[in-house]
Amino acid sequence: MKFEGKPLLGVVAAAKHLSIFPFPPAVVDAVANRLEGYSLSKGTIRFTPDHPVPEDVLEEIVRLRRAEILK
């Protein structure tokens, strides 16, 4: 998914989980305290269909990433 010609975020389905890649690790760091119980690593949020990322956190991820792109 792109915004202003730059990657906004990526989503990948693996065998046992789904992943969101908001690209810069700073975006994951900014919402990490709201994702207790999720598997996080530098620039990646892993989740399952049974335990999706909360909608308000997804909205914050998109807002933060858009702000980075528009800098």
Side-chain angles (χ1 to χ4, degrees):
M1 181 179 305
K2 290 189 175 189
F3 174 72
E4 298 288 326
K6 296 184 179 179
L8 182 62
L9 59 91
V11 180
V12 173
K16 296 187 179 193
H17 67 272
L18 300 126
S19 297
I20 297 173
F21 302 95
F23 297 100
V27 172
V28 175
D29 293 344
V31 297
N33 64 330
R34 297 166 62 189
L35 293 170
E36 189 173 322
Y38 291 85
S39 173
L40 307 178
S41 62
K42 189 174 183 176
T44 307
I45 302 165
R46 290 177 203 82
F47 61 99
T48 65
D50 294 337
H51 192 222
V53 175
E55 189 172 323
D56 64 316
V57 176
L58 286 173
E59 290 172 357
E60 181 70 1
I61 289 168
V62 170
R63 186 190 69 72
L64 290 167
R65 181 63 182 133
R66 285 174 53 126
E68 282 189 340
I69 291 169
L70 293 174
K71 281 186 197 177

